[in-house]
Amino acid sequence: MELHFDNTLLRALPRDPIDGPQVRQVPGAVWSSVAPTPVAAPRVLAWSPEVAALLGLKQDDIETAEFAQVFGGNALLPGMVPYATNYGGHQFGNWAGQLGDGRAISLGEAIAADGSRQELQLKGAGPTPYSRFADGRAVLRSSIREFLCSEAMAHLGVPTTRALCLVGTGEDVVRDMFYDGHAAPEPGAVVCRVAPSFLRLGHYELPAARGDTALLRRLVDFTIERDFPELSELAPGAERDAAWFTQICTRTAVLMAHWMRVGFVHGVMNTDNLSVLGLTIDYGPYGWIDDYDPDWTPNTTDAQGRRYRFGWQPQVAFWNLSRLAGALSLLFADPAPLQEALQAYADTYAACERADAAAKLGLPEGAPEAPPLMAELRGLLHGAEVDMTLFFRGLGDHAPGPQALAPLADAFYDPDKYTAHRPAFEAWLTRYAALCAGEDDEAARQRRMRAANPRYVLRNYLAQEAIDRAHDGDLTGVHELLEVLRHPYDDQPGREAFARKRPDWARTRAGCSMLSCSS
Ligand code: AMP
Ligand code: MG
């Protein structure tokens, strides 16, 4: 197994003078040298063929004992220099101070087969200076969820960090899943995440909060030069800084539109869990919309305030970017460009939302009727408790018109609501059909809809079923699910079971509709 590393972050940014995992405040530095803590019996449980190919790794490389040792945290390859980075963040609306990579240890920046830079990061590889009161480990159930969802999102075309592999540690980790005094040992695991950069909004907030303008300046320049090559034409200075923050805002807007399009709820949109590259990052108590409900959150820790509910995600991202703007204002003599970038967020999100409304309904790009029609449909779906994924996909499978409702009956969770809401849906379908008739290209409508509306998403109960089987030592559920999710927009004959709506038993089961941060 050969990987080439070019560890620019370590070279360019200040290092914590103390080495090792002792918990501490780390002022004036972006990273700390810390090695993964070895585990008893690392074993590769699953891996992503696409990410392996990106890194130039072959099946033969992955099936070696060396691979499990390296990606379980027991060995390093030449060129790997492990470290944890330092960041802060606003958690649930409050400034939380220093957080940092408490259970993530980067191994280095690999140069991928396509020449791109891909940082390899182990999640769950043991304590770091940022572990605070926790153990730096991750349990198998949450690692399976991160592994599968990273790859599912990528195949859906949603910007995301990737996952190379899932490695079982052969050790138990003790967790109190619902914080109710019932701690229990669970199998541990390590996921190797892969992304061009794991820098988060909180990386910039921390030096700003500490008044360390010089460090903030260095970090911003480093980020622009390494991670935003499209800005390389611009000389360092106010204009480049403004263009950079604008990029962060517009990329985040695009990301939010994707989440809303596919029905993904992040669950913990703290500023330390938002990437400056506009990638989905930190898969914790996330969830997927079954019945369309803008107020739903999978995160039991957020059950009261529902700050991170599905429908609020675009506004929360704006709030988070406003916190970053506040941090960056230390570098701006004139705050106007920061305001303009935030406006660019709102404008970009609105444009994406319009485009997605047209795409999901199969109407031509820019169709002015799409947004109001979509708004009305969302109201109907919510009121009648209808499965989002099944409804949109099914809508594209049948000729438009009131007669299209009957084949969509299965998308309704409550037969009584189907009956009660039927006239409203039929009226909507009649208007929709009239619009489609004006277009008169049924094949184009279906094509657009199949590209915007996935058949397969990582429904919470599907992940939980795979997790239950994995706990019994059977990984085939994880492998099957990964296979299905590699082609989410294709009809996959024989795999209909993966495209069914949430069964009744899963409505209130832990892991299926309720998830805690305990992971
Ligand atoms: P989260 O919001 O779950 O992404 O995590 C918030 C902070 O807690 C981050 O600094 C994490 O690194 C840290 N953290 C979460 N779980 C653990 C753990 N098991 N051990 C050490 N640190 C953790
Ligand atoms: Mg996090």
Side-chain angles (χ1 to χ4, degrees):
M1 173 171 41
E2 226 178 84
L3 289 166
H4 298 284
F5 292 92
D6 179 29
N7 300 322
T8 53
L9 187 145
L10 302 190
R11 283 204 301 277
L13 295 173
R15 170 187 186 159
D16 172 6
I18 305 170
D19 288 351
Q22 188 201 329
V23 171
R24 56 188 176 266
Q25 289 292 306
V26 180
V30 174
W31 60 279
S32 304
S33 174
V34 59
T37 302
V39 297
R43 193 163 73 86
V44 179
L45 303 178
W47 56 283
S48 158
E50 290 81 10
V51 180
L54 172 67
L55 295 171
L57 298 174
K58 308 211 167 35
Q59 181 156 6
D60 290 350
D61 296 315
I62 288 158
E63 285 168 355
T64 58
E66 182 191 35
F67 186 92
Q69 291 293 328
V70 170
F71 293 100
N74 288 6
L76 296 171
L77 293 173
M80 285 179 169
V81 183
Y83 60 96
T85 70
N86 192 6
Y87 56 79
H90 278 84
Q91 297 185 314
F92 295 93
N94 304 306
W95 175 244
Q98 178 182 302
L99 297 167
D101 289 326
R103 55 167 163 177
I105 296 182
S106 288
L107 300 174
E109 301 168 29
I111 303 304
D114 64 1
S116 66
R117 184 176 299 277
Q118 301 292 342
E119 186 170 330
L120 308 184
Q121 185 178 79
L122 301 184
K123 181 165 175 178
T128 77
Y130 310 100
S131 297
R132 297 181 295 159
F133 41 80
D135 57 6
R137 292 294 183 193
V139 292
L140 179 61
R141 63 181 151 83
S142 69
S143 304
I144 289 175
R145 284 168 50 82
E146 172 132 21
F147 173 77
L148 285 176
C149 205
S150 306
E151 293 307 282
M153 291 289 260
H155 294 298
L156 282 165
V158 182
T160 179
T161 62
R162 303 292 302 257
L164 170 63
C165 57
L166 169 71
V167 174
T169 59
E171 290 179 2
D172 280 347
V173 174
V174 174
R175 287 290 181 272
D176 184 356
M177 201 195 312
F178 284 105
Y179 306 114
D180 60 0
H182 295 91
E186 298 185 46
V190 176
V191 171
C192 178
R193 310 197 283 195
V194 178
S197 165
F198 287 92
L199 291 169
R200 304 143 188 271
L201 307 194
H203 274 103
Y204 309 86
E205 288 182 281
L206 183 61
R210 288 172 168 170
D212 193 344
T213 311
L215 183 59
L216 178 63
R217 179 74 267 165
R218 280 179 75 176
L219 184 56
V220 169
D221 287 338
F222 169 77
T223 309
I224 295 173
E225 280 152 27
R226 187 188 67 170
D227 295 331
F228 290 80
E230 63 273 38
L231 302 180
S232 62
E233 304 280 285
L234 300 173
E239 192 195 338
R240 191 174 83 162
D241 292 342
W244 174 63
F245 183 57
T246 306
Q247 273 279 326
I248 298 172
C249 289
T250 55
R251 287 187 192 206
T252 305
V254 169
L255 180 67
M256 290 307 115
H258 275 296
W259 288 2
M260 301 311 287
R261 173 177 67 83
V262 300
F264 175 77
V265 193
H266 184 285
V268 205
M269 287 179 69
N270 294 332
T271 57
D272 50 303
N273 290 337
L274 248 68
S275 139
V276 279
L277 261 55
L279 308 173
T280 313
I281 192 171
D282 276 12
Y283 292 91
Y286 68 82
W288 290 81
I289 291 291
D290 292 310
D291 56 292
Y292 180 80
D293 180 0
D295 293 329
W296 184 68
T297 175
N299 184 357
T300 51
T301 315
D302 191 24
Q304 289 305 312
R306 290 180 186 254
R307 180 182 177 86
Y308 299 138
R309 64 182 78 169
F310 177 54
W312 278 22
Q313 295 184 121
Q315 283 97 306
V316 168
F318 183 86
W319 189 90
N320 287 350
L321 290 166
S322 304
R323 303 285 75 71
L324 177 58
L328 297 178
S329 66
L330 289 184
L331 304 180
F332 283 74
D334 170 12
L338 293 167
Q339 282 302 335
E340 285 161 23
L342 290 171
Q343 186 57 45
Y345 171 86
D347 296 343
T348 304
Y349 181 74
C352 291
E353 196 184 29
R354 279 194 300 275
D356 286 343
K360 285 184 80 69
L361 295 175
L363 298 170
E365 214 180 312
E369 301 88 350
L373 205 61
M374 179 59 95
E376 201 185 321
L377 178 58
R378 290 188 187 282
L380 290 173
L381 295 175
H382 187 199
E385 212 184 313
V386 183
D387 190 87
M388 176 179 171
T389 304
L390 281 180
F391 187 90
F392 280 103
R393 185 74 181 198
L395 190 62
D397 284 348
H398 303 282
Q403 79 294 340
L405 192 62
L408 293 173
D410 187 49
F412 288 69
Y413 280 89
D414 179 345
D416 292 343
K417 288 190 180 167
Y418 174 74
T419 309
H421 292 262
R422 189 174 178 152
F425 272 92
E426 286 178 347
W428 184 91
L429 282 164
T430 303
R431 285 178 45 215
Y432 173 60
L435 260 181
C436 297
E439 296 305 326
D440 86 34
D441 188 348
E442 176 61 5
R445 183 186 77 99
Q446 295 207 351
R447 205 173 337 105
R448 283 192 283 263
M449 292 186 79
R450 286 184 183 168
N453 299 310
R455 166 82 66 209
Y456 302 98
V457 295
L458 182 55
R459 289 180 187 270
N460 313 304
Y461 86 89
L462 290 173
Q464 188 57 42
E465 284 180 334
I467 289 166
D468 290 343
R469 283 166 68 184
H471 277 203
D472 294 336
D474 172 12
L475 268 303
T476 54
V478 173
H479 300 155
E480 267 171 28
L481 211 37
L482 178 64
E483 272 308 303
V484 173
L485 296 169
R486 286 172 76 194
H487 306 284
Y489 297 101
D490 296 349
D491 293 324
Q492 300 179 38
R495 287 175 169 162
E496 290 76 13
F498 293 93
R500 296 219 177 99
K501 71 177 179 233
R502 176 197 60 217
D504 247 8
W505 60 260
R507 185 180 283 260
T508 51
R509 226 201 104 180
C512 297
S513 58
M514 301 182 296
L515 289 137
S516 77
C517 285
S518 163
S519 56

